[in-house]
Amino acid sequence: DAGVIQSPRHEVTEMGQEVTLRCKPISGHNSLFWYRQTMMRGLELLIYFNNNVPIDDSGMPEDRFSAKMPNASFSTLKIQPSEPRDSAVYFCASSPRGLIHGYTFGSGTRLTVV
Amino acid sequence: GNSVTQMEGPVTLSEEAFLTINCTYTATGYPSLFWYVQYPGEGLQLLLKATKADDKGSNKGFEATYRKETTSFHLEKGSVQVSDSAVYFCALDAGTALIFGKGTTLSVSS
């Protein structure tokens, strides 16, 4: 099992550009979560999906952020336009049905907006 | 609402010292509780878990006991190693997603 795979590992972009982060969850996991990690705010839940359907996006900070899950094996988080305050590490995690087993996290994407 | 409170770090210890990282929670019902560890430059890894009151989770020498009466899930290790230096997160199952504490940085020196 390759685990949760995120790409790219690092992204540096200029303010105003569109950024797309990608995630491949573990096969068979029903739920997928996007988190943002910063020194100031810690881990923030942005959005999560159950069976490819977005369930709660109340953590998405602004309309500049959007997420999709077109199928069970792929999800994207898009920021358009990006701003310097979006600089953070973005994690994707997946879990099987129910949370009793916790999550499996990807290695994260470190985003720097200059 | 649901929340997790961890002791603030950093925690600085010498090798072979005893470790305790405090975690308390607020929740409706009796959620599953977790400890995750994050090594530099990596994602979070599940360290241990407990799913009901009085359960003890353990892994790699770390232990934590689910205490319903004190709503706590403190992480302990009898003898830390330099390789244990990392950030430790306490979390609870809020039914739809995990809620994490802010993390506690542990630094172990030889």
Side-chain angles (χ1 to χ4, degrees):
Chain A
D1 186 353
V4 176
I5 300 172
Q6 291 187 247
S7 65
R9 286 298 308 273
H10 303 275
E11 177 80 36
V12 180
T13 190
E14 291 185 348
M15 182 174 62
Q17 296 298 305
E18 177 180 295
V19 176
T20 299
L21 311 181
R22 297 172 176 79
C23 175
K24 176 179 169 55
I26 290 175
S27 177
H29 280 193
N30 299 93
S31 300
L32 183 141
F33 307 82
W34 283 100
Y35 281 83
R36 178 171 69 177
Q37 185 179 38
T38 61
M39 290 292 292
M40 291 296 294
R41 295 173 177 259
L43 272 168
E44 301 174 277
L45 177 63
L46 301 178
I47 185 172
Y48 71 91
F49 297 82
N50 277 351
N51 296 317
N52 314 338
V53 176
I55 302 300
D56 185 354
D57 65 355
S58 60
M60 298 284 260
E62 300 171 36
D63 290 345
R64 299 184 295 107
F65 286 70
S66 62
K68 294 182 179 179
M69 192 166 186
N71 57 62
S73 59
F74 183 65
S75 177
T76 59
L77 178 68
K78 184 178 294 186
I79 308 172
Q80 166 62 19
S82 58
E83 296 183 4
R85 59 195 168 115
D86 301 331
S87 298
V89 181
Y90 291 81
F91 287 104
C92 175
S94 69
S95 73
R97 187 181 302 276
L99 292 176
I100 194 170
H101 300 292
Y103 298 159
T104 301
F105 279 84
S107 298
T109 295
R110 181 174 294 277
L111 173 65
T112 303
V113 183
V114 298
Chain B
N2 298 312
S3 66
V4 174
T5 303
Q6 288 181 237
M7 62 186 289
E8 293 205 12
V11 174
T12 303
L13 296 173
S14 298
E15 208 165 22
E16 300 184 1
F18 184 85
L19 168 71
T20 299
I21 300 178
N22 291 337
C23 172
T24 57
Y25 67 90
T26 302
T28 53
Y30 304 108
S32 296
L33 300 172
F34 306 85
W35 276 102
Y36 278 80
V37 58
Q38 184 180 30
Y39 299 103
E42 298 183 12
L44 282 72
Q45 302 172 25
L46 179 62
L47 181 59
L48 54 84
K49 67 178 182 182
T51 58
K52 61 182 186 296
D54 300 325
D55 265 4
K56 177 185 284 188
S58 61
N59 187 25
K60 299 181 181 179
F62 290 90
E63 294 183 339
T65 301
Y66 192 140
R67 301 284 188 200
K68 181 179 63 174
E69 59 278 5
T70 54
T71 61
S72 65
F73 192 55
H74 304 322
L75 182 68
E76 296 181 336
K77 187 175 186 182
S79 176
V80 295
Q81 305 300 311
V82 172
S83 57
D84 294 326
S85 298
V87 182
Y88 293 81
F89 293 87
C90 185
L92 69 81
D93 172 7
T96 52
L98 296 188
I99 293 177
F100 289 86
K102 292 188 181 297
T104 302
T105 299
L106 170 65
S107 178
V108 181
S109 58
S110 57

